[in-house]
Amino acid sequence: MENQVRQHTIERNTKETQISLALNIDGEGQADIQTPVPFLNHMLDAIARHGHFDLSVNAAGDVEIDDHHTTEDVGICLGQAIQGALGDKRGIKRYGNAFVPMDETLAQVVIDLSNRPHLEFRAEFPSQKVGTFDTELVHEFFWKLALEARMNLHVIVHYGSNTHHIIEAIFKAFTKALDEATQIDPRVKGVPSTKGML
């Protein structure tokens, strides 16, 4: 199990976006993030550093229209990379739960790497934008990520009033929960499912 390499690279090229993404689950928190969406860069950097994942993202997209396609497609690629890096999920904890406070905000994210994609998103944003970033894209990002990673993902914001704090707490809670769920547990023999597969 200790020799298992849990990393994956994705190349996605469409008429709307061109994305190269590499993920190492067992990394050191190294981030190399280059997209034309500054706020997304900030959040992806948080995913790498707080989850102890190595994450490289190089993306170009039609941001002259808006940030939607780039944000959505990066979520797709990250989800595919998570699914690819975990393989058959042998030996993992499977479940992860994290609370992250950020000033007045408290966010919680719960993950089941179940191979059954679902997003439950209980969060509201006081502002429609953070800088130039449309806050509705947070839901879009996590919905596409959950779909492609085939994870059961619950996002719950218990309280908060600052939109930037709310979104950042969500991303940090997500990465802490993902870090927990992807950990190798020596007590787990094979795949953590009564069905024998995930």
Side-chain angles (χ1 to χ4, degrees):
M1 187 65 64
E2 55 273 11
N3 295 324
Q4 184 179 2
V5 178
R6 301 195 300 168
Q7 57 190 26
H8 199 73
T9 300
I10 296 290
E11 295 279 347
R12 177 183 170 89
N13 295 295
T14 73
K15 292 180 179 179
E16 297 167 344
T17 61
Q18 300 79 46
I19 298 169
S20 174
L21 185 149
L23 173 70
N24 180 359
I25 295 288
D26 302 307
E28 300 176 342
Q30 297 180 1
D32 179 13
I33 312 296
Q34 298 176 50
T35 88
V37 185
F39 188 75
L40 180 62
N41 293 345
H42 182 40
M43 294 301 101
L44 293 172
D45 186 72
I47 286 177
R49 296 187 190 282
H50 293 279
H52 309 289
F53 308 124
D54 290 343
L55 178 62
S56 171
V57 183
N58 194 311
D62 55 358
V63 291
E64 70 279 0
I65 298 172
D66 64 13
D67 295 340
H68 186 281
H69 294 143
T70 303
T71 303
E72 177 183 34
D73 287 7
V74 169
I76 288 170
C77 290
L78 182 56
Q80 291 174 347
I82 292 167
Q83 176 78 340
L86 289 175
D88 64 6
K89 302 183 177 74
R90 188 175 301 274
I92 65 167
K93 288 187 175 181
R94 176 178 164 177
Y95 298 99
N97 177 36
F99 289 87
V100 168
M102 190 162 188
D103 294 355
E104 85 299 339
T105 295
L106 181 64
Q108 179 184 13
V109 171
V110 186
I111 288 173
D112 176 10
L113 296 172
S114 60
N115 212 36
R116 296 190 308 277
H118 180 80
L119 173 65
E120 198 66 36
F121 195 84
R122 305 293 178 90
E124 295 181 4
F125 305 119
S127 301
Q128 292 183 343
K129 285 185 178 290
V130 174
T132 59
F133 185 81
D134 292 318
T135 55
E136 67 178 11
L137 295 180
V138 177
H139 179 279
E140 193 69 24
F141 176 87
F142 282 112
W143 166 227
K144 294 303 164 52
L145 187 154
L147 200 60
E148 297 296 334
R150 301 193 59 79
M151 69 169 62
N152 193 320
L153 173 59
H154 290 243
V155 176
I156 306 141
V157 175
H158 292 281
Y159 42 81
S161 58
N162 180 287
T163 300
H164 188 130
H165 292 166
I166 292 170
I167 296 173
E168 190 160 343
I170 289 170
F171 271 84
K172 289 178 177 176
F174 165 76
T175 197
K176 298 302 288 184
L178 183 64
D179 181 36
E180 180 180 3
T182 58
Q183 290 292 315
I184 298 295
D185 186 339
R187 298 171 300 173
V188 176
K189 307 304 180 188
V191 176
S193 171
T194 55
K195 295 189 289 288
M197 63 174 291
L198 284 172

